[in-house]
Amino acid sequence: MLFGQPELDRKLASESIRQLRQRITFQCDLKGLDQEEIGAYVEHRLAIAGHAGAPLFDGGALRVLHRASRGVPRLVNILAHKALLLVYGEGGHAAARRHVRAAAADTPAAGPQRGWWWPRLRADRASE
């Protein structure tokens, strides 16, 4: 059984391997986790790892985690791990948006980080 492999789905769509595709009995398209599910997922993973204290990700960090991971659990795990390593390196206790953004910037598979919706003025245009 193979789940959550969109790259494989694209390859299986090739006519050259139709006989292999015909041997696949079940197929399911799994969607990414939504923002609320990300919070519950991270909380559950941390509890399984033995964490019982205060939340380690604030709401802003979870929003960035959702956007950067596109809800893919494997990416959630990678980004959360990197963010928590950054927090630990700083001697902190909880991940904020900046930690998750830095983790996403260090992870090629993470989604693009969208900036503020309003275009920022360049320094040379700000004085006009």
Side-chain angles (χ1 to χ4, degrees), residues 104-118:
D106 185 57
T107 307
Q113 296 299 299
R114 290 180 278 161
W116 182 246
W117 64 272
W118 190 260

Side-chain angles (χ1 to χ4, degrees), residues 14-90:
S14 170
E15 186 61 27
S16 65
I17 57 173
R18 72 179 181 285
Q19 290 180 355
L20 174 61
R21 187 174 60 245
Q22 292 167 354
R23 286 167 175 76
I24 297 173
T25 308
F26 296 100
Q27 191 170 353
C28 181
D29 184 24
L30 299 175
K31 304 293 182 211
L33 301 173
D34 67 26
Q35 193 166 326
E36 287 181 20
E37 291 171 324
I38 293 275
Y41 176 75
V42 168
E43 192 176 303
H44 170 73
R45 296 280 298 188
L46 289 168
I48 295 299
H51 178 70
L56 295 181
F57 289 85
D58 66 25
L62 289 173
R63 284 189 295 278
V64 174
L65 185 58
H66 175 255
R67 187 171 53 237
S69 69
R70 297 177 306 278
V72 176
R74 186 180 317 130
L75 278 174
V76 172
N77 295 341
I78 291 168
L79 295 174
H81 180 83
K82 287 182 177 184
L84 290 175
L85 282 173
L86 287 168
V87 172
Y88 176 76
E90 293 176 357

